[in-house]
Amino acid sequence: MSEQAKPEQILILEFTLKSLDFMRAGEASSEFKQRLKKLGFKPELVRRAAIAAYEAEMNVIIHARKGVMRFEIAPARLLIVVEDEGPGISDIEQAMQEGFTTASAAIRELGFGAGMGLPNIKRCADAMDIQSIPGQGTRLQIIINNE
Amino acid sequence: MKLAHIQQILQAEVLTGAGSLDREVGMAFSADLISDILVMCKEHTLLLTGMTHIQIVKTAEICDLAAVVFVRGKRPGPEAIALAAQNDIPLLLSSLTMYESAGLLYCAGLPGISRNPDPCGRAKGERTG
Ligand SMILES: Nc1ncnc2c1ncn2[C@@H]1O[C@H](COP(=O)(O)OP(=O)(O)O)[C@@H](O)[C@H]1O
Ligand SMILES: [Mg+2]
C-alpha cells in the first residue's frame, strides 16, 4: 500500500492486486473501511463503500491478472478507481445483469461467482463507470457521495 | 437477543469472542454464498453458514456482521479464527444443521432480515408449545 495526502483534505490510498491471491483478498477494502471508520464517516456510508470496494477488489482477483486499486477519500466524496490487466469485459451490459458470471466452478465453490457483484456495486454507489478493452483490461470507477 | 442466549440455544462452542457474548443481535440470516451475504446483509446481523474458509470472516468484517455461527460442526481453520479475533467478530460452532439452527433461533424470537417482529405467529396464538 502507498499513501499520500493531497491538498483539500484528500487522502489517497493505493493497493496492488494479484490474480487468485486469496491470502490477501479483501485487504485493500478492509483497510479502506478502517480508514473511513476512523475518519468518522457515517456507519451506513462506510458499509456501502466497503461492500462496493470489496466486490470490485474480488472481481480483479477472480477475473483479471493483476490490478491497482486507488481510493480517494474526501469529506464530501469517496472515489474508488480499479484498473486491471486481464481479459476485459466484451459485453458490459451483459456483465451488469444479475446472475451473469464467467466464474469457474472452483471460484463458485468458494461462495463467489453468483453474478451479483457488478449489480451490487451499482446499488451501493452513487455513480459507477466501467471502461474495458477486451484482451487488455478493465477500469472501474465508483463514486459515493457523503451528503 | 444476546449472543450468550444464542450460544445456549444452539449448544454452540465459542471459537472466539467469549468476552463479547453480551452483544445484542437484532436479526439473523443464513447463507452459503458470499455473494448473497454481500447483497443481503444488514448491520448487527448474525450469519449462519456452512462455509468455513477465511473469506467468510473477511466478508463478515466488510459487512459489519455481529457474529458468525458455523453449522453442522464445520470448524473453520486457525487463520480464520485468528482474523475474527483480531476484528472482534465472535465465532460460534454448532453441531446442528443449518435448518435446525435457524429454526431454533427463529422460534426463540430472533427475526430474519426482513425484521418480522413475530416470526412464529405467537401473538395471534397460531402456535402452541
Ligand atoms: N475486472 C474484471 N475483469 C474481467 N471481467 C470482469 C471483471 N469484473 C467483472 N467481470 C465480468 O463480469 C461478470 C459479472 O461480474 P459480477 O457481477 O461481479 O459477478 P461475478 O464476479 O460473481 O461473476 C464476471 O463473471 C466477469 O465475466
Ligand atoms: Mg464479482
Side-chain angles (χ1 to χ4, degrees):
Chain A
M1 185 194 56
S2 70
E3 185 175 333
Q4 110 198 50
K6 274 209 322 201
E8 313 123 12
Q9 275 186 288
I10 298 179
L11 176 68
I12 296 180
L13 305 176
E14 208 173 275
F15 301 82
T16 55
L17 308 177
K18 231 178 68 202
S19 173
L20 303 178
D21 182 2
F22 284 102
M23 273 297 289
R24 299 189 46 206
E27 266 182 30
S29 304
S30 178
E31 176 71 30
F32 171 56
K33 185 189 172 195
Q34 298 309 327
R35 286 307 176 98
L36 295 181
K37 245 189 187 168
K38 264 197 212 120
L39 289 166
F41 285 93
K42 283 184 302 249
E44 192 275 328
L45 184 102
V46 173
R47 256 167 53 83
R48 208 149 56 82
I51 290 171
Y54 186 63
E55 293 276 19
E57 182 179 358
M58 292 313 300
N59 274 357
V60 174
I61 287 161
I62 288 168
H63 303 293
R65 268 194 314 279
K66 60 177 183 171
V68 174
M69 188 162 196
R70 182 181 154 95
F71 300 96
E72 286 192 26
I73 305 172
R77 193 200 64 166
L78 308 175
L79 173 68
I80 306 169
V81 181
V82 193
E83 281 181 290
D84 70 55
E85 289 171 28
I89 304 173
S90 54
D91 186 341
I92 291 172
E93 201 181 313
Q94 182 186 44
M96 288 296 303
Q97 309 255 318
E98 258 179 46
F100 176 83
T101 183
T102 57
S104 66
I107 293 294
R108 277 184 275 118
E109 237 155 69
L110 285 176
F112 291 100
M116 319 265 272
L118 293 176
N120 199 22
I121 293 173
K122 189 172 180 193
R123 194 175 58 96
C124 291
D126 290 303
M128 163 185 189
D129 177 63
I130 307 178
Q131 309 280 333
S132 188
I133 303 175
Q136 286 189 26
T138 303
R139 182 182 192 277
L140 169 64
Q141 178 173 301
I142 299 165
I143 292 175
I144 291 162
N145 294 320
N146 183 24
E147 62 283 321
Chain B
M1 185 181 289
K2 286 212 191 307
L3 263 182
H5 192 193
I6 289 167
Q7 183 222 343
Q8 185 201 338
I9 290 169
L10 300 179
Q11 301 276 297
E13 179 184 336
V14 182
L15 301 175
T16 180
S20 304
L21 294 184
D22 60 346
R23 185 172 295 177
E24 262 313 316
V25 172
M27 54 198 142
F29 175 62
S30 307
D32 273 349
L33 266 185
I34 302 249
S35 308
D36 276 352
I37 302 170
L38 289 168
V39 171
M40 303 293 293
C41 69
K42 300 210 166 77
E43 70 295 340
H44 309 308
T45 299
L46 176 76
L47 171 70
L48 291 91
T49 186
M51 295 181 288
T52 55
H53 55 83
I54 195 161
Q55 221 61 43
I56 299 302
V57 175
K58 295 185 184 181
T59 305
E61 193 263 322
I62 290 288
C63 294
D64 284 333
L65 297 181
V68 179
V69 176
F70 297 97
V71 298
R72 212 156 65 70
K74 293 192 221 169
R75 187 181 294 269
E79 302 87 0
I81 296 174
L83 185 67
Q86 193 188 314
N87 285 305
D88 189 27
I89 302 167
L91 302 182
L92 305 182
L93 176 65
S94 165
S95 58
L96 302 172
T97 64
M98 178 93 97
Y99 179 74
E100 290 160 339
S101 305
L104 285 172
L105 294 178
Y106 198 73
C107 286
L110 184 64
I113 52 174
S114 40
R115 302 186 201 232
N116 180 350
D118 183 22
C120 288
R122 286 180 174 169
K124 290 188 220 128
E126 289 161 2
R127 183 181 173 281
T128 51

